[in-house]
Amino acid sequence: MKRHTAREKALQALFQIDVGGIEPHAAIANVAEEETDPFMEMLVFGVVEHQKEIDDLLRQHLEKWTLERVANVDRSILRMAVFEMKYMDDIPFNVSMDEAIELAKVFGDEKSSRFVNGVLAKIKETLS
């Protein structure tokens, strides 16, 4: 599975976990068509494991928003991108950001990609 596709599946699983309270293994099983992908699993389980730290970082960089007020899909995209940026040294920040913006264009509303880009740009400055 290509990494872009793995990110799409991970996003769908993270959305189910966030909105439906589904257990991570079940969410992965729901979105995996046949076999799971190690990268997708790393993203899902990594976000779940580090969600408190990720959410704290997001809260610090949201202006005039609370994390709970952010659209569910945007919140899942941001969590996944921040996980990549903070915990996966082999992925350049710009790749994580570009992928998140593309996911926001597909799964979010017309303002999602700009919002995601703005938040991640601030986080990139902090992590650089």
Side-chain angles (χ1 to χ4, degrees):
M1 180 181 299
K2 290 184 178 179
R3 281 194 165 188
H4 180 77
T5 304
R7 284 183 178 95
E8 286 182 347
K9 298 293 183 188
L11 170 62
Q12 293 168 355
L14 290 167
F15 182 84
Q16 290 181 21
I17 293 165
D18 187 35
V19 175
I22 296 175
E23 191 268 330
H25 288 285
I28 289 171
N30 289 342
V31 300
E33 292 160 4
E34 294 164 16
E35 62 185 66
T36 62
D37 178 82
F39 182 67
M40 176 187 68
E41 289 183 355
M42 184 184 335
L43 290 173
V44 172
F45 291 119
V47 169
V48 170
E49 179 183 343
H50 297 284
Q51 186 170 328
K52 183 185 178 333
E53 297 93 358
I54 292 168
D55 286 358
D56 288 345
L57 190 57
L58 286 169
R59 282 186 181 96
Q60 293 170 22
H61 294 88
L62 289 171
E63 292 180 11
K64 302 177 187 170
W65 286 87
T66 63
L67 187 58
E68 294 70 28
R69 221 179 118 220
V70 172
N72 294 331
V73 70
D74 294 349
R75 186 170 52 237
S76 293
I77 291 168
L78 287 168
R79 284 174 174 158
M80 187 168 61
V82 170
F83 171 75
E84 284 188 30
M85 293 167 73
K86 187 169 167 112
Y87 298 102
M88 299 184 77
D89 296 334
D90 63 323
I91 301 175
F93 287 166
N94 288 344
V95 171
S96 298
M97 289 177 65
D98 289 346
E99 287 287 333
I101 292 164
E102 289 305 311
L103 289 171
K105 287 178 182 176
V106 173
F107 293 99
D109 65 22
E110 67 277 352
K111 296 179 183 177
S112 291
S113 61
R114 286 184 27 225
F115 176 74
V116 166
N117 183 41
V119 174
L120 293 179
K122 291 176 191 168
I123 290 173
K124 177 184 174 184
E125 290 177 18
T126 303
L127 296 177
S128 295

